[in-house]
Each structure stands twice: as C-alpha cells, then as structure tokens.
C-alpha cells in the first residue's frame, strides 16, 4: 500500500483530533464563563441581602427611636404641666430632669428641627423651675410663654417624627 492510500484515514484522524481539541477548549471556556457568572450572581445576591438586612435594621431602629421620642415627650409634657401648676412638684422634678435628659440624648442638635426642639425643651424646663421656685418675674407672662412653647414643641416634634417617618418609608421602598 502506498502512502496516498492512507491519506483519507490520516485526514479523518486529524479531523477527529482537531474536533476533540476544539470541543475541549470550547467546553473549558464555557465552564470558566459559567463559574464566573455564578460567582458574580452569588456576590450580587449577597450584597442585595446585606442591603435589605441593613435597611430592615435601619427601619426597626428608626421606628424604635420614634416610639421612644414620642413616649418620652408625652410623659415629659404630662409631668411638666402639673409641675407648672405647682401640683405634686416634689415627685415630679426628678422625673422631669430624667425625661429632659432622655429627650436631649434622643435628639441631635445638628439635625433639622431637632436643634429647635432642644431649645424649646430647655426653655420649658427653665420656666417650670422658675415657677416651682416661685421666682416669677412680673415682666414675663409665664402661662402664655409656657403654652406657646408647648405648642411650638408639639408642632416641631410632629415635624421631626414626620421627617423620620418619611425616611423610614424611603428605606422600606428601596428593599
């Protein structure tokens, strides 16, 4: 047999080997791409879950803060008013200072509305202490000032709570 008789068999063998090598390279590249895609998807899913978890924690913390502020403010006002009228002041003074400090710690002086709320808390405290200690100034109308400050504090506190409610809703809508 002559070498040209083997040519079709050799060509078929070469074509088969080339096909095997090309298929191997293609499948290797596909595996690498699939592995990369899966890793990228897992990383993105982890990041998304982390963002959702942070948003959930932020929402919960903000809601707890809002509840704490609202409760402290209500208790503070409910004790301030009788103290201002000089009713049961001995028991109230300690609680007034405690709640006042809680409210001061809940508010941040550099946030919108919260700086003014802190000022109003301090003004109310001064008026009540002066009234309790009978150090009234004839030039000041304590009743009028007390009511005005109390109304402004309520209004500003509503703004603070509304602002935080809006932030909380924005966090939840981004989940």
């Amino acid at each position: 047999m002559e070498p040209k008789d083997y040519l079709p068999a050799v060509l078929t063998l070469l074509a088969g080997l080339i096909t095997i090598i090309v298929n191997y390279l293609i499948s290797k590249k596909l595996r690498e791409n699939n592995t990369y895609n899966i890793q990228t998807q897992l990383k993105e899913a982890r990041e998304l879950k982390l963002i959702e978890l942070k948003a959930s924690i932020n929402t919960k913390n903000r809601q707890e803060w809002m509840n704490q502020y609202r409760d402290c403010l209500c208790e503070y006002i409910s004790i301030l008013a009788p103290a201002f009228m000089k009713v049961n002041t001995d028991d109230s003074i300690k609680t007034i200072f405690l709640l006042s400090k809680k409210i001061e710690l809940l508010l941040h002086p550099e946030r919108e509305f919260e700086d003014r709320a802190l000022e109003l808390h301090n003004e109310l405290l001064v008026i009540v202490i002066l009234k309790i200690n009978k150090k009234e100034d004839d030039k000041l109308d304590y009743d009028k000032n007390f009511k005005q400050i109390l109304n402004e504090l309520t209004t500003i506190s509503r703004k603070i709570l509304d602002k935080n409610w809006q932030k909380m809703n924005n966090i939840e809508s981004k989940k």
Side-chain angles (χ1 to χ4, degrees), residues 31-46:
R31 268 193 319 271
E32 289 172 357
N33 284 341
N34 285 341
T35 301
Y36 173 78
N37 288 339
I38 290 171
Q39 287 174 344
T40 303
Q41 287 174 350
L42 285 173
K43 181 181 175 187
E44 288 173 0
R46 260 187 250 128

Side-chain angles (χ1 to χ4, degrees), residues 25 99 120:
L25 293 174
L99 291 170
L120 294 170

Side-chain angles (χ1 to χ4, degrees), residues 66-95:
M66 289 169 63
N67 291 340
Q68 261 188 318
Y69 179 67
R70 187 180 299 112
D71 293 345
C72 279
L73 183 62
C74 289
E75 191 175 353
Y76 181 71
I77 291 170
S78 70
I79 292 173
L80 267 184
F84 181 73
M85 309 269 191
K86 299 180 183 177
V87 176
N88 198 17
T89 55
D90 292 339
D91 297 334
S92 303
I93 293 177
K94 181 179 176 185
T95 308

Side-chain angles (χ1 to χ4, degrees), residues 139-173:
K139 296 175 193 169
L140 295 175
D141 184 356
Y142 284 98
D143 291 338
K144 184 179 176 187
N145 285 347
F146 183 79
K147 289 175 188 173
Q148 285 176 341
I149 294 170
L150 200 55
N151 287 338
E152 187 178 350
L153 178 60
T154 302
T155 302
I156 208 97
S157 292
R158 282 189 180 129
K159 289 179 182 179
I160 291 168
L161 292 169
D162 183 57
K163 182 179 142 201
N164 282 283
W165 181 256
Q166 296 302 324
K167 282 183 181 180
M168 195 169 66
N169 286 337
N170 287 340
I171 289 171
E172 286 179 347
S173 66

